[in-house]
mmCIF file with all atom_site columns, all heavy atoms in Angstrom:
data_model
loop_
_atom_site.group_PDB
_atom_site.id
_atom_site.type_symbol
_atom_site.label_atom_id
_atom_site.label_alt_id
_atom_site.label_comp_id
_atom_site.label_asym_id
_atom_site.label_entity_id
_atom_site.label_seq_id
_atom_site.pdbx_PDB_ins_code
_atom_site.Cartn_x
_atom_site.Cartn_y
_atom_site.Cartn_z
_atom_site.occupancy
_atom_site.B_iso_or_equiv
_atom_site.pdbx_formal_charge
_atom_site.auth_seq_id
_atom_site.auth_comp_id
_atom_site.auth_asym_id
_atom_site.auth_atom_id
_atom_site.pdbx_PDB_model_num
ATOM 1   N N   . THR X 1 1  ? -33.058 17.740 -55.384 1.00 88.00 ? 18 THR X N   1
ATOM 2   C CA  . THR X 1 1  ? -32.196 18.431 -54.418 1.00 88.00 ? 18 THR X CA  1
ATOM 3   C C   . THR X 1 1  ? -31.687 17.457 -53.363 1.00 88.00 ? 18 THR X C   1
ATOM 4   O O   . THR X 1 1  ? -30.510 17.479 -52.994 1.00 88.00 ? 18 THR X O   1
ATOM 5   C CB  . THR X 1 1  ? -32.956 19.587 -53.740 1.00 88.00 ? 18 THR X CB  1
ATOM 6   O OG1 . THR X 1 1  ? -33.364 20.522 -54.750 1.00 88.00 ? 18 THR X OG1 1
ATOM 7   C CG2 . THR X 1 1  ? -32.066 20.311 -52.731 1.00 88.00 ? 18 THR X CG2 1
ATOM 8   N N   . PHE X 1 2  ? -32.580 16.579 -52.887 1.00 88.00 ? 19 PHE X N   1
ATOM 9   C CA  . PHE X 1 2  ? -32.177 15.552 -51.925 1.00 88.00 ? 19 PHE X CA  1
ATOM 10  C C   . PHE X 1 2  ? -31.097 14.639 -52.502 1.00 88.00 ? 19 PHE X C   1
ATOM 11  O O   . PHE X 1 2  ? -30.284 14.087 -51.758 1.00 88.00 ? 19 PHE X O   1
ATOM 12  C CB  . PHE X 1 2  ? -33.375 14.700 -51.506 1.00 88.00 ? 19 PHE X CB  1
ATOM 13  C CG  . PHE X 1 2  ? -34.146 15.260 -50.346 1.00 88.00 ? 19 PHE X CG  1
ATOM 14  C CD1 . PHE X 1 2  ? -35.493 15.547 -50.478 1.00 88.00 ? 19 PHE X CD1 1
ATOM 15  C CD2 . PHE X 1 2  ? -33.539 15.501 -49.129 1.00 88.00 ? 19 PHE X CD2 1
ATOM 16  C CE1 . PHE X 1 2  ? -36.219 16.068 -49.416 1.00 88.00 ? 19 PHE X CE1 1
ATOM 17  C CE2 . PHE X 1 2  ? -34.247 16.029 -48.062 1.00 88.00 ? 19 PHE X CE2 1
ATOM 18  C CZ  . PHE X 1 2  ? -35.593 16.306 -48.205 1.00 88.00 ? 19 PHE X CZ  1
ATOM 19  N N   . PHE X 1 3  ? -31.095 14.479 -53.815 1.00 91.00 ? 20 PHE X N   1
ATOM 20  C CA  . PHE X 1 3  ? -30.116 13.602 -54.458 1.00 91.00 ? 20 PHE X CA  1
ATOM 21  C C   . PHE X 1 3  ? -28.815 14.335 -54.783 1.00 91.00 ? 20 PHE X C   1
ATOM 22  O O   . PHE X 1 3  ? -27.725 13.870 -54.453 1.00 91.00 ? 20 PHE X O   1
ATOM 23  C CB  . PHE X 1 3  ? -30.717 13.004 -55.733 1.00 91.00 ? 20 PHE X CB  1
ATOM 24  C CG  . PHE X 1 3  ? -29.840 11.986 -56.398 1.00 91.00 ? 20 PHE X CG  1
ATOM 25  C CD1 . PHE X 1 3  ? -29.839 10.674 -55.968 1.00 91.00 ? 20 PHE X CD1 1
ATOM 26  C CD2 . PHE X 1 3  ? -29.001 12.334 -57.456 1.00 91.00 ? 20 PHE X CD2 1
ATOM 27  C CE1 . PHE X 1 3  ? -29.033 9.723  -56.565 1.00 91.00 ? 20 PHE X CE1 1
ATOM 28  C CE2 . PHE X 1 3  ? -28.196 11.397 -58.066 1.00 91.00 ? 20 PHE X CE2 1
ATOM 29  C CZ  . PHE X 1 3  ? -28.207 10.084 -57.617 1.00 91.00 ? 20 PHE X CZ  1
ATOM 30  N N   . PHE X 1 4  ? -28.928 15.500 -55.430 1.00 92.00 ? 21 PHE X N   1
ATOM 31  C CA  . PHE X 1 4  ? -27.747 16.167 -55.965 1.00 92.00 ? 21 PHE X CA  1
ATOM 32  C C   . PHE X 1 4  ? -26.897 16.848 -54.889 1.00 92.00 ? 21 PHE X C   1
ATOM 33  O O   . PHE X 1 4  ? -25.662 16.775 -54.950 1.00 92.00 ? 21 PHE X O   1
ATOM 34  C CB  . PHE X 1 4  ? -28.149 17.199 -57.022 1.00 92.00 ? 21 PHE X CB  1
ATOM 35  C CG  . PHE X 1 4  ? -28.374 16.623 -58.375 1.00 92.00 ? 21 PHE X CG  1
ATOM 36  C CD1 . PHE X 1 4  ? -29.648 16.234 -58.775 1.00 92.00 ? 21 PHE X CD1 1
ATOM 37  C CD2 . PHE X 1 4  ? -27.333 16.448 -59.258 1.00 92.00 ? 21 PHE X CD2 1
ATOM 38  C CE1 . PHE X 1 4  ? -29.871 15.698 -60.026 1.00 92.00 ? 21 PHE X CE1 1
ATOM 39  C CE2 . PHE X 1 4  ? -27.535 15.912 -60.521 1.00 92.00 ? 21 PHE X CE2 1
ATOM 40  C CZ  . PHE X 1 4  ? -28.814 15.529 -60.900 1.00 92.00 ? 21 PHE X CZ  1
ATOM 41  N N   . VAL X 1 5  ? -27.515 17.528 -53.944 1.00 92.00 ? 22 VAL X N   1
ATOM 42  C CA  . VAL X 1 5  ? -26.729 18.283 -52.953 1.00 92.00 ? 22 VAL X CA  1
ATOM 43  C C   . VAL X 1 5  ? -25.816 17.359 -52.138 1.00 92.00 ? 22 VAL X C   1
ATOM 44  O O   . VAL X 1 5  ? -24.623 17.658 -51.979 1.00 92.00 ? 22 VAL X O   1
ATOM 45  C CB  . VAL X 1 5  ? -27.659 19.121 -52.047 1.00 92.00 ? 22 VAL X CB  1
ATOM 46  C CG1 . VAL X 1 5  ? -26.864 19.747 -50.905 1.00 92.00 ? 22 VAL X CG1 1
ATOM 47  C CG2 . VAL X 1 5  ? -28.341 20.221 -52.872 1.00 92.00 ? 22 VAL X CG2 1
ATOM 48  N N   . PRO X 1 6  ? -26.300 16.219 -51.615 1.00 91.00 ? 23 PRO X N   1
ATOM 49  C CA  . PRO X 1 6  ? -25.368 15.303 -50.933 1.00 91.00 ? 23 PRO X CA  1
ATOM 50  C C   . PRO X 1 6  ? -24.271 14.764 -51.852 1.00 91.00 ? 23 PRO X C   1
ATOM 51  O O   . PRO X 1 6  ? -23.123 14.601 -51.418 1.00 91.00 ? 23 PRO X O   1
ATOM 52  C CB  . PRO X 1 6  ? -26.286 14.176 -50.439 1.00 91.00 ? 23 PRO X CB  1
ATOM 53  C CG  . PRO X 1 6  ? -27.626 14.792 -50.328 1.00 91.00 ? 23 PRO X CG  1
ATOM 54  C CD  . PRO X 1 6  ? -27.698 15.768 -51.458 1.00 91.00 ? 23 PRO X CD  1
ATOM 55  N N   . CYS X 1 7  ? -24.625 14.475 -53.125 1.00 92.00 ? 24 CYS X N   1
ATOM 56  C CA  . CYS X 1 7  ? -23.601 14.004 -54.069 1.00 92.00 ? 24 CYS X CA  1
ATOM 57  C C   . CYS X 1 7  ? -22.499 15.041 -54.251 1.00 92.00 ? 24 CYS X C   1
ATOM 58  O O   . CYS X 1 7  ? -21.305 14.708 -54.266 1.00 92.00 ? 24 CYS X O   1
ATOM 59  C CB  . CYS X 1 7  ? -24.230 13.684 -55.424 1.00 92.00 ? 24 CYS X CB  1
ATOM 60  S SG  . CYS X 1 7  ? -25.158 12.142 -55.474 1.00 92.00 ? 24 CYS X SG  1
ATOM 61  N N   . ILE X 1 8  ? -22.899 16.292 -54.412 1.00 91.00 ? 25 ILE X N   1
ATOM 62  C CA  . ILE X 1 8  ? -21.922 17.377 -54.582 1.00 91.00 ? 25 ILE X CA  1
ATOM 63  C C   . ILE X 1 8  ? -21.059 17.506 -53.327 1.00 91.00 ? 25 ILE X C   1
ATOM 64  O O   . ILE X 1 8  ? -19.839 17.675 -53.401 1.00 91.00 ? 25 ILE X O   1
ATOM 65  C CB  . ILE X 1 8  ? -22.646 18.700 -54.893 1.00 91.00 ? 25 ILE X CB  1
ATOM 66  C CG1 . ILE X 1 8  ? -23.312 18.616 -56.280 1.00 91.00 ? 25 ILE X CG1 1
ATOM 67  C CG2 . ILE X 1 8  ? -21.685 19.882 -54.851 1.00 91.00 ? 25 ILE X CG2 1
ATOM 68  C CD1 . ILE X 1 8  ? -24.280 19.737 -56.573 1.00 91.00 ? 25 ILE X CD1 1
ATOM 69  N N   . PHE X 1 9  ? -21.679 17.393 -52.151 1.00 90.00 ? 26 PHE X N   1
ATOM 70  C CA  . PHE X 1 9  ? -20.951 17.481 -50.877 1.00 90.00 ? 26 PHE X CA  1
ATOM 71  C C   . PHE X 1 9  ? -19.900 16.377 -50.765 1.00 90.00 ? 26 PHE X C   1
ATOM 72  O O   . PHE X 1 9  ? -18.775 16.621 -50.311 1.00 90.00 ? 26 PHE X O   1
ATOM 73  C CB  . PHE X 1 9  ? -21.935 17.383 -49.711 1.00 90.00 ? 26 PHE X CB  1
ATOM 74  C CG  . PHE X 1 9  ? -21.274 17.289 -48.360 1.00 90.00 ? 26 PHE X CG  1
ATOM 75  C CD1 . PHE X 1 9  ? -20.751 18.421 -47.750 1.00 90.00 ? 26 PHE X CD1 1
ATOM 76  C CD2 . PHE X 1 9  ? -21.180 16.067 -47.705 1.00 90.00 ? 26 PHE X CD2 1
ATOM 77  C CE1 . PHE X 1 9  ? -20.132 18.328 -46.504 1.00 90.00 ? 26 PHE X CE1 1
ATOM 78  C CE2 . PHE X 1 9  ? -20.565 15.971 -46.464 1.00 90.00 ? 26 PHE X CE2 1
ATOM 79  C CZ  . PHE X 1 9  ? -20.040 17.108 -45.862 1.00 90.00 ? 26 PHE X CZ  1
ATOM 80  N N   . ILE X 1 10 ? -20.246 15.176 -51.185 1.00 90.00 ? 27 ILE X N   1
ATOM 81  C CA  . ILE X 1 10 ? -19.336 14.036 -51.042 1.00 90.00 ? 27 ILE X CA  1
ATOM 82  C C   . ILE X 1 10 ? -18.222 14.042 -52.087 1.00 90.00 ? 27 ILE X C   1
ATOM 83  O O   . ILE X 1 10 ? -17.042 13.809 -51.772 1.00 90.00 ? 27 ILE X O   1
ATOM 84  C CB  . ILE X 1 10 ? -20.118 12.708 -51.134 1.00 90.00 ? 27 ILE X CB  1
ATOM 85  C CG1 . ILE X 1 10 ? -21.079 12.555 -49.949 1.00 90.00 ? 27 ILE X CG1 1
ATOM 86  C CG2 . ILE X 1 10 ? -19.154 11.506 -51.199 1.00 90.00 ? 27 ILE X CG2 1
ATOM 87  C CD1 . ILE X 1 10 ? -20.429 12.356 -48.608 1.00 90.00 ? 27 ILE X CD1 1
ATOM 88  N N   . TYR X 1 11 ? -18.573 14.326 -53.346 1.00 89.00 ? 28 TYR X N   1
ATOM 89  C CA  . TYR X 1 11 ? -17.624 14.074 -54.439 1.00 89.00 ? 28 TYR X CA  1
ATOM 90  C C   . TYR X 1 11 ? -16.896 15.312 -54.957 1.00 89.00 ? 28 TYR X C   1
ATOM 91  O O   . TYR X 1 11 ? -15.864 15.163 -55.619 1.00 89.00 ? 28 TYR X O   1
ATOM 92  C CB  . TYR X 1 11 ? -18.347 13.381 -55.606 1.00 89.00 ? 28 TYR X CB  1
ATOM 93  C CG  . TYR X 1 11 ? -18.877 12.026 -55.233 1.00 89.00 ? 28 TYR X CG  1
ATOM 94  C CD1 . TYR X 1 11 ? -20.238 11.793 -55.095 1.00 89.00 ? 28 TYR X CD1 1
ATOM 95  C CD2 . TYR X 1 11 ? -18.009 10.964 -54.989 1.00 89.00 ? 28 TYR X CD2 1
ATOM 96  C CE1 . TYR X 1 11 ? -20.731 10.548 -54.744 1.00 89.00 ? 28 TYR X CE1 1
ATOM 97  C CE2 . TYR X 1 11 ? -18.478 9.715  -54.630 1.00 89.00 ? 28 TYR X CE2 1
ATOM 98  C CZ  . TYR X 1 11 ? -19.837 9.515  -54.504 1.00 89.00 ? 28 TYR X CZ  1
ATOM 99  O OH  . TYR X 1 11 ? -20.322 8.285  -54.144 1.00 89.00 ? 28 TYR X OH  1
ATOM 100 N N   . LEU X 1 12 ? -17.399 16.500 -54.681 1.00 87.00 ? 29 LEU X N   1
ATOM 101 C CA  . LEU X 1 12 ? -16.727 17.686 -55.205 1.00 87.00 ? 29 LEU X CA  1
ATOM 102 C C   . LEU X 1 12 ? -15.734 18.214 -54.175 1.00 87.00 ? 29 LEU X C   1
ATOM 103 O O   . LEU X 1 12 ? -15.789 19.367 -53.746 1.00 87.00 ? 29 LEU X O   1
ATOM 104 C CB  . LEU X 1 12 ? -17.753 18.773 -55.561 1.00 87.00 ? 29 LEU X CB  1
ATOM 105 C CG  . LEU X 1 12 ? -17.231 19.906 -56.457 1.00 87.00 ? 29 LEU X CG  1
ATOM 106 C CD1 . LEU X 1 12 ? -16.828 19.382 -57.823 1.00 87.00 ? 29 LEU X CD1 1
ATOM 107 C CD2 . LEU X 1 12 ? -18.268 21.006 -56.593 1.00 87.00 ? 29 LEU X CD2 1
ATOM 108 N N   . ARG X 1 13 ? -14.817 17.358 -53.783 1.00 80.00 ? 30 ARG X N   1
ATOM 109 C CA  . ARG X 1 13 ? -13.788 17.728 -52.812 1.00 80.00 ? 30 ARG X CA  1
ATOM 110 C C   . ARG X 1 13 ? -12.685 16.683 -52.887 1.00 80.00 ? 30 ARG X C   1
ATOM 111 O O   . ARG X 1 13 ? -12.895 15.583 -53.414 1.00 80.00 ? 30 ARG X O   1
ATOM 112 C CB  . ARG X 1 13 ? -14.373 17.796 -51.401 1.00 80.00 ? 30 ARG X CB  1
ATOM 113 C CG  . ARG X 1 13 ? -14.797 16.468 -50.836 1.00 80.00 ? 30 ARG X CG  1
ATOM 114 C CD  . ARG X 1 13 ? -15.335 16.604 -49.413 1.00 80.00 ? 30 ARG X CD  1
ATOM 115 N NE  . ARG X 1 13 ? -15.342 15.317 -48.766 1.00 80.00 ? 30 ARG X NE  1
ATOM 116 C CZ  . ARG X 1 13 ? -16.363 14.850 -48.034 1.00 80.00 ? 30 ARG X CZ  1
ATOM 117 N NH1 . ARG X 1 13 ? -17.448 15.573 -47.866 1.00 80.00 ? 30 ARG X NH1 1
ATOM 118 N NH2 . ARG X 1 13 ? -16.291 13.664 -47.460 1.00 80.00 ? 30 ARG X NH2 1
ATOM 119 N N   . PRO X 1 14 ? -11.497 16.989 -52.340 1.00 74.00 ? 31 PRO X N   1
ATOM 120 C CA  . PRO X 1 14 ? -10.417 15.991 -52.310 1.00 74.00 ? 31 PRO X CA  1
ATOM 121 C C   . PRO X 1 14 ? -10.818 14.781 -51.478 1.00 74.00 ? 31 PRO X C   1
ATOM 122 O O   . PRO X 1 14 ? -11.869 14.754 -50.850 1.00 74.00 ? 31 PRO X O   1
ATOM 123 C CB  . PRO X 1 14 ? -9.251  16.760 -51.666 1.00 74.00 ? 31 PRO X CB  1
ATOM 124 C CG  . PRO X 1 14 ? -9.591  18.197 -51.841 1.00 74.00 ? 31 PRO X CG  1
ATOM 125 C CD  . PRO X 1 14 ? -11.083 18.291 -51.814 1.00 74.00 ? 31 PRO X CD  1
ATOM 126 N N   . SER X 1 15 ? -9.922  13.797 -51.432 1.00 68.00 ? 32 SER X N   1
ATOM 127 C CA  . SER X 1 15 ? -10.236 12.527 -50.795 1.00 68.00 ? 32 SER X CA  1
ATOM 128 C C   . SER X 1 15 ? -10.196 12.599 -49.279 1.00 68.00 ? 32 SER X C   1
ATOM 129 O O   . SER X 1 15 ? -9.637  11.728 -48.613 1.00 68.00 ? 32 SER X O   1
ATOM 130 C CB  . SER X 1 15 ? -9.268  11.441 -51.276 1.00 68.00 ? 32 SER X CB  1
ATOM 131 O OG  . SER X 1 15 ? -9.647  10.190 -50.767 1.00 68.00 ? 32 SER X OG  1
ATOM 132 N N   . ALA X 1 16 ? -10.811 13.602 -48.710 1.00 67.00 ? 33 ALA X N   1
ATOM 133 C CA  . ALA X 1 16 ? -10.969 13.678 -47.257 1.00 67.00 ? 33 ALA X CA  1
ATOM 134 C C   . ALA X 1 16 ? -12.309 13.080 -46.892 1.00 67.00 ? 33 ALA X C   1
ATOM 135 O O   . ALA X 1 16 ? -13.293 13.261 -47.601 1.00 67.00 ? 33 ALA X O   1
ATOM 136 C CB  . ALA X 1 16 ? -10.899 15.127 -46.795 1.00 67.00 ? 33 ALA X CB  1
ATOM 137 N N   . THR X 1 17 ? -12.362 12.322 -45.809 1.00 70.00 ? 34 THR X N   1
ATOM 138 C CA  . THR X 1 17 ? -13.621 11.744 -45.356 1.00 70.00 ? 34 THR X CA  1
ATOM 139 C C   . THR X 1 17 ? -13.961 12.301 -43.989 1.00 70.00 ? 34 THR X C   1
ATOM 140 O O   . THR X 1 17 ? -13.079 12.546 -43.169 1.00 70.00 ? 34 THR X O   1
ATOM 141 C CB  . THR X 1 17 ? -13.537 10.209 -45.284 1.00 70.00 ? 34 THR X CB  1
ATOM 142 O OG1 . THR X 1 17 ? -12.449 9.833  -44.433 1.00 70.00 ? 34 THR X OG1 1
ATOM 143 C CG2 . THR X 1 17 ? -13.327 9.608  -46.670 1.00 70.00 ? 34 THR X CG2 1
ATOM 144 N N   . PHE X 1 18 ? -15.244 12.486 -43.749 1.00 73.00 ? 35 PHE X N   1
ATOM 145 C CA  . PHE X 1 18 ? -15.731 13.024 -42.485 1.00 73.00 ? 35 PHE X CA  1
ATOM 146 C C   . PHE X 1 18 ? -16.720 12.043 -41.863 1.00 73.00 ? 35 PHE X C   1
ATOM 147 O O   . PHE X 1 18 ? -17.350 11.248 -42.578 1.00 73.00 ? 35 PHE X O   1
ATOM 148 C CB  . PHE X 1 18 ? -16.424 14.373 -42.710 1.00 73.00 ? 35 PHE X CB  1
ATOM 149 C CG  . PHE X 1 18 ? -15.560 15.397 -43.394 1.00 73.00 ? 35 PHE X CG  1
ATOM 150 C CD1 . PHE X 1 18 ? -15.888 15.866 -44.659 1.00 73.00 ? 35 PHE X CD1 1
ATOM 151 C CD2 . PHE X 1 18 ? -14.419 15.882 -42.780 1.00 73.00 ? 35 PHE X CD2 1
ATOM 152 C CE1 . PHE X 1 18 ? -15.094 16.801 -45.298 1.00 73.00 ? 35 PHE X CE1 1
ATOM 153 C CE2 . PHE X 1 18 ? -13.621 16.824 -43.409 1.00 73.00 ? 35 PHE X CE2 1
ATOM 154 C CZ  . PHE X 1 18 ? -13.951 17.282 -44.671 1.00 73.00 ? 35 PHE X CZ  1
ATOM 155 N N   . PRO X 1 19 ? -16.882 12.081 -40.538 1.00 76.00 ? 36 PRO X N   1
ATOM 156 C CA  . PRO X 1 19 ? -17.855 11.186 -39.893 1.00 76.00 ? 36 PRO X CA  1
ATOM 157 C C   . PRO X 1 19 ? -19.266 11.354 -40.446 1.00 76.00 ? 36 PRO X C   1
ATOM 158 O O   . PRO X 1 19 ? -20.060 10.418 -40.456 1.00 76.00 ? 36 PRO X O   1
ATOM 159 C CB  . PRO X 1 19 ? -17.778 11.597 -38.415 1.00 76.00 ? 36 PRO X CB  1
ATOM 160 C CG  . PRO X 1 19 ? -16.412 12.187 -38.251 1.00 76.00 ? 36 PRO X CG  1
ATOM 161 C CD  . PRO X 1 19 ? -16.108 12.863 -39.553 1.00 76.00 ? 36 PRO X CD  1
ATOM 162 N N   . LEU X 1 20 ? -19.569 12.565 -40.935 1.00 84.00 ? 37 LEU X N   1
ATOM 163 C CA  . LEU X 1 20 ? -20.897 12.855 -41.457 1.00 84.00 ? 37 LEU X CA  1
ATOM 164 C C   . LEU X 1 20 ? -21.172 12.183 -42.798 1.00 84.00 ? 37 LEU X C   1
ATOM 165 O O   . LEU X 1 20 ? -22.336 12.029 -43.190 1.00 84.00 ? 37 LEU X O   1
ATOM 166 C CB  . LEU X 1 20 ? -21.043 14.381 -41.602 1.00 84.00 ? 37 LEU X CB  1
ATOM 167 C CG  . LEU X 1 20 ? -22.408 14.958 -41.967 1.00 84.00 ? 37 LEU X CG  1
ATOM 168 C CD1 . LEU X 1 20 ? -23.417 14.663 -40.865 1.00 84.00 ? 37 LEU X CD1 1
ATOM 169 C CD2 . LEU X 1 20 ? -22.301 16.460 -42.207 1.00 84.00 ? 37 LEU X CD2 1
ATOM 170 N N   . ASP X 1 21 ? -20.127 11.741 -43.493 1.00 87.00 ? 38 ASP X N   1
ATOM 171 C CA  . ASP X 1 21 ? -20.283 11.238 -44.854 1.00 87.00 ? 38 ASP X CA  1
ATOM 172 C C   . ASP X 1 21 ? -21.253 10.068 -44.944 1.00 87.00 ? 38 ASP X C   1
ATOM 173 O O   . ASP X 1 21 ? -22.047 9.977  -45.886 1.00 87.00 ? 38 ASP X O   1
ATOM 174 C CB  . ASP X 1 21 ? -18.923 10.819 -45.426 1.00 87.00 ? 38 ASP X CB  1
ATOM 175 C CG  . ASP X 1 21 ? -18.055 12.009 -45.769 1.00 87.00 ? 38 ASP X CG  1
ATOM 176 O OD1 . ASP X 1 21 ? -18.540 13.151 -45.656 1.00 87.00 ? 38 ASP X OD1 1
ATOM 177 O OD2 . ASP X 1 21 ? -16.887 11.792 -46.138 1.00 87.00 ? 38 ASP X OD2 1
ATOM 178 N N   . LYS X 1 22 ? -21.179 9.151  -43.987 1.00 89.00 ? 39 LYS X N   1
ATOM 179 C CA  . LYS X 1 22 ? -22.037 7.965  -44.058 1.00 89.00 ? 39 LYS X CA  1
ATOM 180 C C   . LYS X 1 22 ? -23.511 8.338  -43.941 1.00 89.00 ? 39 LYS X C   1
ATOM 181 O O   . LYS X 1 22 ? -24.359 7.773  -44.643 1.00 89.00 ? 39 LYS X O   1
ATOM 182 C CB  . LYS X 1 22 ? -21.628 6.957  -42.973 1.00 89.00 ? 39 LYS X CB  1
ATOM 183 C CG  . LYS X 1 22 ? -20.310 6.270  -43.271 1.00 89.00 ? 39 LYS X CG  1
ATOM 184 C CD  . LYS X 1 22 ? -19.998 5.170  -42.284 1.00 89.00 ? 39 LYS X CD  1
ATOM 185 C CE  . LYS X 1 22 ? -19.426 5.685  -41.002 1.00 89.00 ? 39 LYS X CE  1
ATOM 186 N NZ  . LYS X 1 22 ? -18.949 4.584  -40.113 1.00 89.00 ? 39 LYS X NZ  1
ATOM 187 N N   . ALA X 1 23 ? -23.813 9.272  -43.065 1.00 88.00 ? 40 ALA X N   1
ATOM 188 C CA  . ALA X 1 23 ? -25.203 9.713  -42.921 1.00 88.00 ? 40 ALA X CA  1
ATOM 189 C C   . ALA X 1 23 ? -25.657 10.487 -44.160 1.00 88.00 ? 40 ALA X C   1
ATOM 190 O O   . ALA X 1 23 ? -26.781 10.305 -44.640 1.00 88.00 ? 40 ALA X O   1
ATOM 191 C CB  . ALA X 1 23 ? -25.349 10.572 -41.668 1.00 88.00 ? 40 ALA X CB  1
ATOM 192 N N   . VAL X 1 24 ? -24.772 11.338 -44.694 1.00 90.00 ? 41 VAL X N   1
ATOM 193 C CA  . VAL X 1 24 ? -25.118 12.123 -45.889 1.00 90.00 ? 41 VAL X CA  1
ATOM 194 C C   . VAL X 1 24 ? -25.394 11.206 -47.080 1.00 90.00 ? 41 VAL X C   1
ATOM 195 O O   . VAL X 1 24 ? -26.322 11.434 -47.859 1.00 90.00 ? 41 VAL X O   1
ATOM 196 C CB  . VAL X 1 24 ? -23.989 13.122 -46.222 1.00 90.00 ? 41 VAL X CB  1
ATOM 197 C CG1 . VAL X 1 24 ? -24.202 13.754 -47.595 1.00 90.00 ? 41 VAL X CG1 1
ATOM 198 C CG2 . VAL X 1 24 ? -23.911 14.207 -45.154 1.00 90.00 ? 41 VAL X CG2 1
ATOM 199 N N   . SER X 1 25 ? -24.604 10.140 -47.206 1.00 91.00 ? 42 SER X N   1
ATOM 200 C CA  . SER X 1 25 ? -24.770 9.239  -48.350 1.00 91.00 ? 42 SER X CA  1
ATOM 201 C C   . SER X 1 25 ? -26.117 8.518  -48.339 1.00 91.00 ? 42 SER X C   1
ATOM 202 O O   . SER X 1 25 ? -26.579 8.040  -49.376 1.00 91.00 ? 42 SER X O   1
ATOM 203 C CB  . SER X 1 25 ? -23.634 8.217  -48.394 1.00 91.00 ? 42 SER X CB  1
ATOM 204 O OG  . SER X 1 25 ? -23.681 7.351  -47.272 1.00 91.00 ? 42 SER X OG  1
#
């Protein structure tokens, strides 16, 4: 869950980036 949920959050969306992305990754 720690691995998949952040991956889904980052990659299952258009090429928009958020400040939170670096911490989530």
